[in-house]
Amino acid sequence: MSRQQPNQDSLSPLPPPPQSLSDALALVFEKHFQAPPERLVQAPGRVNLIGEHTDYNDGFVLPCAINFQTVVAASPRADDWVHVVALDFNEAVDQFDVSMPIQYREDAPWANYVRGVVSTLVAKGLRLRGANLAISGNVPQGAGLSSSASLEVAVAQTFKSLFQLDTLSPTDLALIGQQAENQFVGCQCGIMDQLISARGQTGHALLIDCRSLDTEAVSIPTGLAVMIVHSRVERGLVESEYNTRRQQCEAAAKHFGVQALRDLSVFDLEQNRGQSLDPITWRRARHVVTENARTLAAAEALRTQDLPQLSQLMAASHASMRDDFEITVPAIDQLVDLIAEQLGDQGGVRMTGGGFGGCVVALVPLEKVSAVEAAIASGYQSPRGKRALVYVCQAAAGAGPL
Ligand code: GLA
């Protein structure tokens, strides 16, 4: 899910590169804590190429980490206090004691991602002391690019490196971030966002089996740009609608007597059409079942650089989110159509992320990037008259020291 965004207009199409981000962070760290930081750690946001709302159904997803990150400057403390400064919230501060129960803060939502991760680490019995942290990021907030997952994974990675928690694997860091979000922050997200933030690979998307957490890196052809287009449609109702979709999927799995929708085939579904399952829940299930198949096929198409096949699969994914899962909005549908028209069968485009606004992802041959940008500039504005923001991204590495 995504962190609260104070003002969508403050999004910049050209966020500072990581070097200037970490320089600014080191300065603020020193101002607040009177010494330079001992560690600089980063964790990236992500864009999902295909496989939407499949992760919590034990299914398949194909995201890549992007070159937009949360960065943490940190030093250990000799006591049990964690002191945090958030640059992106006007240098707001938070403090808590790791040797006491860590409370949720109603008045500072951003602080709960840090508190949630630390409280999860403590609950696992890991030996921590206090730390001084300064945090900043350039993952656009409220856009469906997983700024919150990148914050959670960055904080987990920071504590791992400060206190030599070497037994924690990247997958463990992702599971800790997800647990913090599910149990402390209260969003029932799946594992995709945290896992790709922890395990992303430069130049690759990751095909993730969300049941076994096995991953397979799939190279993104160098001639293909990963373009993210922010529709500037604010993601209203996202949490309640997300949780409703999750419940509908669970109800459908129960109806069919399977552990998760991952275990259902299109054939099983078709057999039941118009019978005992209500039509809305049936369509929700059809989205997940067909999306799993599309995701596996898209990984193969990316591997073999089969652009017409990718184009068709991404279009079918979008149509399924629009008609069966009902998580798109008209402005996003329009944006997708406009980009699809430019691409023909030489690239793919679909809405990405949880839905109800946010971003569209497109795989665009490099020679078509300017034409697509021009078409968006002349042919799209949000219902509130805002222009789309275009980010041409690189598939980046997962969390680690900077
Ligand atoms: C959000 C959640 C993910 C996933 C996507 C939809 O990003 O955090 O776990 O469910 O929505 O694919």
Side-chain angles (χ1 to χ4, degrees):
M1 313 296 282
S2 60
R3 270 185 277 161
Q4 289 186 354
Q5 161 73 3
N7 175 9
Q8 292 280 81
D9 266 318
S10 64
L11 289 176
S12 152
L14 290 173
Q19 196 51 50
S20 65
L21 203 65
S22 49
D23 289 350
L25 202 55
L27 281 177
V28 173
F29 186 96
E30 214 165 328
K31 181 175 102 187
H32 281 262
F33 303 118
Q34 289 80 48
E38 286 184 21
R39 298 271 198 288
L40 278 173
V41 161
Q42 68 79 30
R46 66 97 185 94
V47 65
N48 189 19
L49 304 183
I50 194 165
E52 222 63 84
H53 288 262
T54 45
D55 62 349
Y56 55 82
N57 290 296
D58 280 3
F60 299 95
V61 292
L62 187 65
C64 63
I66 53 177
N67 53 323
F68 294 83
Q69 300 142 316
T70 298
V71 179
V72 182
S75 290
R77 289 174 61 98
D79 61 15
D80 289 330
W81 281 87
V82 174
H83 287 224
V84 195
V85 186
L87 268 70
D88 306 329
F89 293 89
N90 293 324
E91 297 186 24
V93 294
D94 186 34
Q95 297 182 5
F96 55 91
D97 181 344
V98 298
S99 66
M100 304 288 287
I102 299 171
Q103 307 296 332
Y104 184 87
R105 272 189 70 177
E106 295 287 348
D107 61 331
W110 68 268
N112 292 318
Y113 295 95
V114 183
R115 287 175 169 240
V117 168
V118 176
S119 134
T120 307
L121 290 166
V122 172
K124 288 193 170 307
L126 294 159
R127 290 176 61 82
L128 308 180
R129 300 300 310 267
N132 291 330
L133 312 177
I135 303 178
S136 182
N138 59 13
V139 184
Q141 293 177 27
L145 300 176
S146 296
S147 56
S148 50
S150 79
L151 171 57
E152 290 151 6
V153 173
V155 171
Q157 175 75 44
T158 300
F159 277 84
K160 172 178 169 163
S161 58
L162 284 179
F163 299 105
Q164 292 80 43
L165 308 177
D166 298 331
T167 54
L168 295 178
S169 67
T171 299
D172 293 330
L173 299 182
L175 288 166
I176 287 163
Q178 184 199 20
Q179 196 176 326
E181 181 132 356
N182 289 171
Q183 293 173 10
F184 198 92
V185 178
C187 289
Q188 296 308 310
C189 65
I191 188 63
M192 167 169 68
D193 306 344
Q194 291 81 4
L195 200 71
I196 186 66
S197 181
R199 291 181 53 179
Q201 287 189 29
T202 309
H204 293 75
L206 276 199
L207 176 64
I208 303 174
D209 176 335
C210 297
R211 174 168 279 166
S212 65
L213 302 188
D214 286 343
T215 62
E216 183 190 329
V218 183
S219 169
I220 298 178
T222 46
L224 218 47
V226 178
M227 186 187 274
I228 298 174
V229 186
H230 189 328
S231 67
R232 314 295 297 283
V233 178
E234 283 171 38
R235 300 171 68 231
L237 289 178
V238 65
E239 265 151 41
S240 63
E241 292 292 340
Y242 186 93
N243 289 340
T244 308
R245 294 301 180 283
R246 222 187 141 137
Q247 283 155 13
Q248 289 166 329
C249 291
E250 279 159 14
K254 193 163 173 218
H255 174 86
F256 284 100
V258 290
Q259 188 189 330
L261 287 180
R262 148 79 174 269
D263 301 310
L264 212 59
S265 69
V266 178
F267 179 77
D268 297 330
L269 259 180
E270 288 297 340
Q271 296 280 83
N272 187 275
R273 187 199 275 268
Q275 292 185 20
S276 44
L277 193 61
D278 73 88
I280 293 184
T281 312
W282 189 86
R283 282 191 287 114
R284 303 293 189 249
R286 180 168 65 178
H287 165 74
V288 173
V289 172
T290 57
E291 185 77 349
N292 274 330
R294 282 187 290 270
T295 304
L296 292 172
E300 179 59 16
L302 198 58
R303 253 180 239 119
T304 55
Q305 306 195 17
D306 184 345
L307 287 184
Q309 173 74 348
L310 267 178
S311 171
Q312 192 256 317
L313 291 164
M314 289 175 80
S317 170
H318 187 83
S320 178
M321 291 191 287
R322 183 189 60 215
D323 304 333
D324 276 353
F325 222 59
E326 296 181 277
I327 54 170
T328 72
V329 294
I332 296 250
D333 296 336
Q334 187 208 334
L335 186 55
V336 164
D337 288 347
L338 187 139
I339 298 170
E341 208 171 290
Q342 292 296 318
L343 292 175
D345 70 354
Q346 290 305 300
V349 56
R350 57 185 282 284
M351 186 193 75
T352 186
F356 305 99
C359 291
V360 156
V361 63
L363 291 173
V364 182
L366 293 179
E367 63 278 11
K368 282 184 183 272
V369 166
S370 332
V372 171
E373 283 175 339
I376 296 166
S378 61
Y380 176 82
Q381 56 172 296
S382 79
R384 292 195 176 171
K386 291 178 184 171
R387 296 175 62 152
L389 299 175
V390 178
Y391 308 92
V392 177
C393 293
Q394 266 83 53
L402 256 186

